């Protein structure tokens, strides 16, 4: 099963997880990380790293963040490069997560990324999709 780390500003993440658990009961391999005003990005990184390891069963972990480019998204993007089968999604909403909940058990992290971006519409994107729009800069040496 794919692990979920829901991360966002203020109590966004905890509210999302609480709403899911209120409707479907406790969710294994699922954590919320709230980025409160005044919290350092170093502490956010430590909290998200703990959540990543708590949610990982070996099948992959999906970081579900509120806003592209903000601290939770950037922190997840840095972890994505160090962890296999890790995806970063932004713009998630509660209705979208409710629709995608059963997919946690049925698909790979890459397939989940593709499905949630398709289902989510214009406001939902992923780190992978952002990288396709803006490929990394490569310096070509000419001798």
């Amino acid at each position: 099963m794919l692990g979920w780390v829901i991360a966002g500003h203020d109590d966004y993440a905890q509210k999302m997880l609480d709403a899911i658990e209120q409707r479907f009961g406790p969710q294994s391999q699922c954590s919320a990380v709230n980025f409160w005003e005044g919290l350092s990005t170093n502490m956010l990184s430590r909290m998200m790293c703990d959540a990543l390891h708590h949610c990982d069963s070996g099948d992959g972990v999906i970081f579900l963040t509120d806003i592209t480019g903000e601290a939770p998204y950037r922190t997840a993007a840095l972890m994505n490069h160090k962890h296999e089968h890790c995806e970063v999604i932004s713009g998630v909403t509660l209705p979208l997560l409710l629709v995608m909940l059963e997919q946690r058990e049925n698909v790979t992290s890459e397939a989940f990324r593709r499905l949630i971006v398709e289902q989510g519409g214009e406001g939902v994107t992923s780190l992978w999709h952002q990288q396709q729009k803006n490929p990394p800069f490569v310096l070509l040496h000419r001798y």
Side-chain angles (χ1 to χ4, degrees):
M1 176 184 345
L2 294 173
W4 277 7
V5 176
I6 306 169
H9 292 80
D10 300 323
D11 59 354
Y12 169 87
Q14 192 61 54
K15 280 186 175 180
M16 297 278 265
L17 182 56
D18 289 347
I20 292 168
E21 290 185 336
Q22 184 177 19
R23 190 163 185 186
F24 297 102
Q27 297 296 305
S28 62
Q29 294 174 238
C30 204
S31 290
V33 178
N34 297 312
F35 182 56
W36 296 101
E37 185 177 337
L39 186 71
S40 71
T41 53
N42 184 45
M43 183 56 75
L44 174 65
S45 180
R46 292 176 68 186
M47 292 165 55
M48 288 179 69
C49 186
D50 288 347
L52 169 69
H53 291 291
H54 172 76
C55 294
D56 187 19
S57 67
D59 293 329
V61 174
I62 310 295
F63 282 100
L64 302 156
T65 68
D66 54 353
I67 304 168
T68 305
E70 292 291 329
Y73 178 89
R74 290 191 317 267
T75 302
L78 291 172
M79 291 181 188
N80 167 272
H81 297 293
K82 299 176 184 175
H83 195 275
E84 198 172 341
H85 305 298
C86 181
E87 297 290 340
V88 182
I89 311 296
S90 66
V92 296
T93 61
L94 182 58
L96 179 60
L97 292 186
L98 295 175
V99 167
M100 296 302 295
L101 192 60
E102 70 182 50
Q103 299 300 323
R104 290 180 63 203
E105 297 181 27
N106 303 327
V107 298
T108 66
S109 57
E110 295 84 4
F112 185 91
R113 173 200 3 104
R114 189 179 62 255
L115 287 169
I116 196 168
V117 170
E118 287 172 6
Q119 291 276 329
E122 207 172 295
V124 178
T125 189
S126 73
L127 177 62
W128 184 87
H129 285 86
Q130 293 301 309
Q131 289 173 334
Q132 300 314 299
K133 290 180 193 175
N134 303 304
F137 176 76
V138 177
L139 180 62
L140 301 175
H141 297 281
R142 295 188 184 224
Y143 297 98

